[in-house]
Amino acid sequence: FDELTEGRSGSCDALEAAQAMLTALDELNAEFRSTLPQPLRIGIGIHTGPAILGRIGAGQERGVTALGDSVNVASRLEALNKEFGSVLIASDATVRSSGLDIPGAERHEIAIRGRVEPLLVHVLKPLRTSSTTTNLSLTLRACAGNKSGVRRV
């Protein structure tokens, strides 16, 4: 996100994108409540660090992809959401880079396959559908300069 932003933390933008995804999922689940046997769920993993961006493919099948340790770590965090029963796992590097504290998030040190050092992560579990996005929304207002409800660190 940092390459695409001006004057804002890429970490804030990544957390904002996660919040938008969770809000959209809440709306989708509300719309299809009567037809779904259980609500749809997602798990989001966010890590901050360098990555190599490149275009892959030809013609209309061209796309952008990212490679590197930070991408691998984010993928591993995303996969851990099932184990934690969470909707978002963000590395401490991401949270520190954003300058925010995510209300209601648990902190855990976890082992990441392929890395020697454990990684400190912030795990956001759904309390109720709306409260998860509300907690994240309050945090993200601070990204935009409104500090109500969150603590800058």
Side-chain angles (χ1 to χ4, degrees):
F1 280 98
D2 276 341
E3 292 295 322
L4 306 173
T5 59
E6 295 179 18
R8 283 178 36 128
S9 162
S11 296
C12 277
D13 288 337
L15 290 168
E16 189 173 72
Q19 190 266 334
M21 291 168 61
L22 292 169
T23 298
L25 185 64
D26 285 348
E27 292 167 0
L28 191 63
N29 279 326
E31 182 178 339
F32 292 102
R33 179 176 289 127
S34 63
T35 58
L36 292 173
Q38 59 186 10
L40 299 172
R41 293 194 53 219
I42 60 172
I44 302 166
I46 304 174
H47 181 58
T48 299
I52 298 169
L53 300 176
R55 295 194 185 278
I56 295 187
Q60 291 184 358
E61 299 300 317
R62 254 183 111 148
V64 176
T65 192
L67 304 169
D69 182 62
S70 59
V71 178
N72 293 336
V73 170
S75 176
R76 302 227 193 278
L77 295 180
E78 181 272 329
L80 284 172
N81 279 291
K82 284 184 181 181
E83 183 179 318
F84 281 104
S86 55
V87 294
L88 170 68
I89 300 179
S91 68
D92 190 57
T94 297
V95 175
R96 279 186 293 112
S97 175
S98 74
L100 303 172
D101 183 34
I102 302 175
E106 299 173 359
R107 293 181 180 165
H108 297 274
E109 265 198 1
I110 60 169
I112 297 285
R113 189 178 61 191
R115 299 187 112 205
V116 175
E117 297 293 319
L119 185 68
L120 180 61
V121 295
H122 300 250
V123 177
L124 186 62
K125 293 184 178 181
L127 304 172
R128 292 186 321 267
T129 303
S130 62
S131 69
T132 300
T133 55
T134 299
N135 279 349
L136 202 48
S137 292
L138 287 172
T139 298
L140 294 170
R141 283 193 201 132
C143 287
N146 177 354
K147 299 176 187 151
S148 138
V150 298
R151 186 180 93 225
R152 284 219 169 251
V153 291

